[in-house]
Amino acid sequence: MALPTEAEIIEALRTVQEPESGKDLITLNMVSGLVIKDGNVGFSLEVHPDKGAEMEPVRRAATNAVSEINGVASVTAVLTAHRAASQNKTGASSKAQPQKTVQSTKQSVAGVKNIIAVASGKGGVGKSTVAINLALAFNTIGLKTALLDADIYGPSQPRMMGLAGEKPSGGDGDKLKPIEKYGLKLMSMGFLVEEETPMIWRGPMVMSALQQFLRDVEWGDCDIMIVDMPPGTGDAQLTLAQQVPLAGAVIVSTPQDIALIDARKGLNMFHKVEIPVLGIIENMSYFLCPNCNHQADIFGHGGARAEAEKLSVPFLGEIPLHMQIRETSDGGAPVVVSDPASVNSEIFLSIASKVWALLEDDAANTRPPPSIVIEK
Ligand code: ADP
């Protein structure tokens, strides 16, 4: 079957009107972050932050219009309000967002276009689970993706990817080859030390291990690299945040107050080193019963969304506490690859599309060119 083209998708979106103006989505320049891979289509619709609910029928109409194109296997359309949020960055109410500055001491990683940190203020909130599913979701929407597991205190990505016990092989010269699975390039401290081995990491050790992973691995061309950060906001995290040329950070939190306080600390840490926070994700947001699909807000769902609003940081999405998410990650095939059509996968795909739209927006508007530092 023929695969859908960008032109066909744009034509389909021209048939969908925004009700207030009566104009179509393309004329209004509302579509961004369009990605097409093997018939899977993803895009964002940019809307005013106050109009999210009103625009839901438009999102559905856009999804239906694109679904009807021959060869389209799935459509992920998300509403984003980031233009308004990024305007806040320079506006009077922007106390939470730093101005972007050239990170002159950081060396970019050859071939890698965007590096994003996935961080959390404390452990156990599902940061690594979110990082891997998000990375796989980026890959699903057609972006070449790598994951660097820098969670030195408990590198869990090899286990979640079914790669425990694997060792990376040497590439050209002294470089290591990342291990590839499900289309993702992966490098982890866990390939070098056992997950259970307690490690005491001091600043310089963290630095040199990380430098090696960034510089001495054959990453090749990647649109996105996700860095699964160690949990917390101590020295090691600060050092990582300072050393990696990050395009931005995503903070994972659970809805409980205590986790949100920790999340705020995470946010402040990135502000300190002038890295934009792309948004907050609420994990274990509500309990979804695997038998009857009943939703129970056991942790007081919605805390992260409220916190994000207060801090003028985009809210990226809510992930339920769901048996499928735990079982698939623990089984070595995260939900985004083992059950790509599930509601849980759709949530990760939608968050990935939002993050990609934010990055594209940043690239178009404000990001300075990477600086090149020659080390003596
Ligand atoms: P962290 O990296 O923050 O320490 P992990 O990603 O290792 O946390 O998650 C801790 C445990 O919680 C793992 O067993 C994982 O499978 C589980 N988990 C994480 N998120 C969810 C979720 N949304 N639903 C169910 N289980 C989850």
Side-chain angles (χ1 to χ4, degrees), residues 38-89:
D38 303 334
N40 299 300
V41 181
F43 55 89
S44 302
L45 295 177
E46 287 168 17
V47 299
H48 190 277
D50 302 337
K51 299 218 165 139
E54 261 170 68
M55 293 299 289
E56 178 54 26
V58 177
R59 188 193 69 80
R60 275 204 302 273
T63 306
N64 293 340
V66 175
S67 307
E68 281 168 17
I69 301 171
N70 255 347
V72 168
S74 76
V75 182
T76 310
V78 293
L79 298 176
T80 54
H82 61 270
R83 286 255 160 91
S86 57
Q87 275 154 15
N88 276 347
K89 286 178 201 168

Side-chain angles (χ1 to χ4, degrees), residues 16-35:
V16 181
Q17 279 184 355
E18 191 273 326
E20 207 172 287
S21 64
K23 292 189 179 145
D24 71 84
L25 304 182
I26 300 296
T27 304
L28 291 171
N29 208 11
M30 283 173 67
V31 179
S32 70
L34 176 63
V35 278

Side-chain angles (χ1 to χ4, degrees), residues 124-129 160 283-284 319-322 325-326 330:
V125 300
K127 169 188 55 61
S128 297
T129 308
M160 292 199 197
N283 187 35
M284 310 192 195
I319 300 161
L321 175 65
H322 197 271
I325 297 180
R326 193 199 61 73
D330 289 354

Side-chain angles (χ1 to χ4, degrees), residues 123-322:
V125 300
K127 169 188 55 61
S128 297
T129 308
V130 172
I132 191 69
N133 279 294
L134 206 53
L136 291 166
F138 280 124
N139 189 54
T140 305
I141 63 175
L143 300 162
K144 282 191 207 135
T145 312
L147 187 136
L148 169 54
D149 180 8
D151 190 345
I152 45 181
Y153 305 113
S156 50
Q157 299 300 358
R159 181 174 46 81
M160 292 199 197
M161 289 284 278
L163 292 167
E166 297 271 333
K167 294 273 171 258
S169 57
D172 283 348
D174 294 334
K175 292 207 167 188
L176 283 179
K177 276 196 172 136
I179 295 189
E180 294 199 40
K181 193 163 179 188
Y182 308 130
L184 200 71
K185 291 179 183 171
L186 179 72
M187 185 51 77
S188 169
M189 297 280 178
F191 294 139
L192 310 179
V193 291
E194 300 300 323
E195 191 179 353
E196 290 80 22
T197 310
M199 298 279 291
I200 299 167
W201 290 88
R202 297 190 195 285
M205 285 165 69
V206 175
M207 276 299 310
S208 70
L210 187 77
Q211 289 293 346
Q212 281 183 17
F213 276 174
L214 288 170
R215 319 277 169 236
D216 300 339
V217 171
E218 269 179 25
W219 291 110
D221 284 337
C222 296
D223 297 306
I224 288 203
M225 176 189 277
I226 300 284
V227 181
D228 183 3
M229 298 277 283
T233 51
D235 277 356
Q237 288 81 355
L238 196 63
T239 311
L240 280 184
Q242 269 169 327
Q243 291 300 322
V244 184
L246 294 172
V250 167
I251 298 195
V252 180
S253 174
T254 59
Q256 296 114 303
D257 249 347
I258 180 69
L260 290 176
I261 290 167
D262 286 311
R264 220 170 304 154
K265 279 192 209 150
L267 203 81
N268 287 337
M269 180 180 84
F270 288 109
H271 285 153
K272 217 187 263 179
V273 287
E274 300 187 321
I275 288 162
V277 172
L278 297 167
I280 298 181
I281 297 174
E282 185 169 275
N283 187 35
M284 310 192 195
S285 184
Y286 48 89
F287 174 68
L288 210 50
C289 172
N291 295 323
C292 65
N293 263 351
H294 170 71
Q295 177 174 331
D297 296 342
I298 39 181
F299 298 127
H301 158 224
R305 181 189 288 273
E307 188 65 20
E309 258 165 42
K310 214 170 357 163
L311 299 166
S312 310
V313 175
F315 181 69
L316 298 171
E318 294 167 351
I319 300 161
L321 175 65
H322 197 271

